[in-house]
């Protein structure tokens, strides 16, 4: 599964915070300019004129402060999204490790929820590994790394295979229910798009079985 690029995201956030701090400092300097002028101005200065100048500075500083505030808000929103993405990736990484451990230890396979229909141990391993592939695509689609058209093309090819169809026949109900329970718009869209591609592949013809994937001898 694609790793979250935390370093580049942190650098981008640091730049946003840096620019926001610079703008705030400039705004504070503009606000303080009239007071500095008052302190250093010689006697006899026309303070009415300076007052007009001060009001001009104040109007400009309000705009700059507003821009700085918008930058700070954007930085906080970006950091929150990066944190959420990192947490989700950590959760998915833990799930992958548990599945991989189950693939190598048959005793642990029955610790997961039972399949909708009884399967052989080899079929269970295929289902579990296929689910990891589909989860990888779902994560990539949800994060915007795959367009809907790219995902559709991948799923149509995916569902040409019998293992892929067997997996979705077992898992589709759970995917659809999980999507309805919450998540982002793209997360809700993924299982429905997958189901459309699955039904289209079934209608298109028979699946390719695992024993037909490879040749045993050179042609």
């Amino acid at each position: 599964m694609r790793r979250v690029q935390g370093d580049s995201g942190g650098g981008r956030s640091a730049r946003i915070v840096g620019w926001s701090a610079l703008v705030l400092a400039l705004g504070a300097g503009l606000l303080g300019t009239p007071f500095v002028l008052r302190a250093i101005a010689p006697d006899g200065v026309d303070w009415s004129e300076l007052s007009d100048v001060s009001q001009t500075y104040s109007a400009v500083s309000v705009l700059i402060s507003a821009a700085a505030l918008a930058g700070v808000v954007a930085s906080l929103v970006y950091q929150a999204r990066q944190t959420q993405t990192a947490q989700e990736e950590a959760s998915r990484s833990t799930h992958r490790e548990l599945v991989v451990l189950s693939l190598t230890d048959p005793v642990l396979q029955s610790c997961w929820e039972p399949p909708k229909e009884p399967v052989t141990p080899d079929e269970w391993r295929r289902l579990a590994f296929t689910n990891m592939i589909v989860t990888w695509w779902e994560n990539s689609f949800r994060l915007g790394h795959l367009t809907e058209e790219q995902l559709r093309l991948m799923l149509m090819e995916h569902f040409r295979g019998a293992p892929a169809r067997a997996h979705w026949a077992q898992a589709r109900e759970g995917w659809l229910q999980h999507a309805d329970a919450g998540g982002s718009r793209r997360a809700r869209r993924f299982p429905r798009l997958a189901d459309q591609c699955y039904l289209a592949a079934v209608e298109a013809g028979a699946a390719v079985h695992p024993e037909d994937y490879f040749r045993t001898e050179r042609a």
Side-chain angles (χ1 to χ4, degrees):
M1 186 177 287
R2 185 185 294 268
R3 303 290 295 181
V4 175
Q5 300 298 323
D7 292 340
S8 61
R12 193 180 309 169
S13 294
R15 287 194 295 272
I16 293 175
V17 172
W19 279 109
S20 299
L22 177 61
V23 173
L24 283 173
L26 290 175
L30 287 171
L31 285 173
T33 299
F35 302 100
V36 174
L37 290 176
R38 179 183 292 274
I40 65 175
D43 295 336
V45 172
D46 187 350
W47 291 107
S48 296
E49 183 178 352
L50 286 181
S51 177
D52 293 338
V53 174
S54 174
Q55 291 178 7
T56 302
Y57 271 106
S58 297
V60 174
S61 65
V62 168
L63 295 176
I64 294 177
S65 298
L69 179 61
V72 172
V73 171
S75 175
L76 293 175
V77 170
Y78 180 81
Q79 288 178 342
R81 289 178 178 175
Q82 287 296 102
T83 300
Q84 181 181 3
T85 300
Q87 291 173 343
E88 290 177 355
E89 174 59 23
S91 177
R92 283 179 167 80
S93 179
T94 300
H95 179 263
R96 288 197 305 273
E97 292 174 4
L98 292 173
V99 173
V100 170
L101 187 61
S102 303
L103 291 174
T104 58
D105 190 341
V107 175
L108 301 179
Q109 294 171 10
S110 59
C111 295
W112 296 91
E113 68 277 5
K116 299 296 182 183
E117 299 291 339
V119 295
T120 67
D122 285 346
E123 289 171 338
W124 187 94
R125 284 191 289 271
R126 282 201 194 100
L127 292 173
F129 195 81
T130 303
N131 193 68
M132 292 175 65
I133 295 173
V134 174
T135 301
W136 170 34
W137 289 342
E138 186 270 343
N139 188 52
S140 297
F141 178 69
R142 185 176 50 81
L143 294 176
H145 301 152
L146 286 174
T147 65
E148 184 168 316
E149 185 59 29
Q150 287 174 322
L151 179 62
R152 187 183 297 276
L153 292 172
M154 293 168 66
L155 288 169
M156 289 300 297
E157 286 297 309
H158 177 66
F159 286 124
R160 289 180 57 240
R165 295 189 190 183
H167 161 260
W168 195 250
Q170 291 266 7
R172 64 190 298 268
E173 183 179 347
W175 275 87
L176 291 168
Q177 289 177 348
H178 184 75
D180 290 337
S184 66
R185 182 187 65 81
R186 292 178 72 87
R188 293 191 298 271
R189 174 64 177 153
F190 177 86
R192 291 174 172 78
L193 181 60
D195 203 45
Q196 292 172 10
C197 293
Y198 165 77
L199 295 174
V202 171
E203 186 177 354
V208 179
H209 288 272
E211 57 269 22
D212 297 326
Y213 271 44
F214 310 103
R215 290 198 309 264
T216 57
E217 298 179 357
R218 289 183 178 273

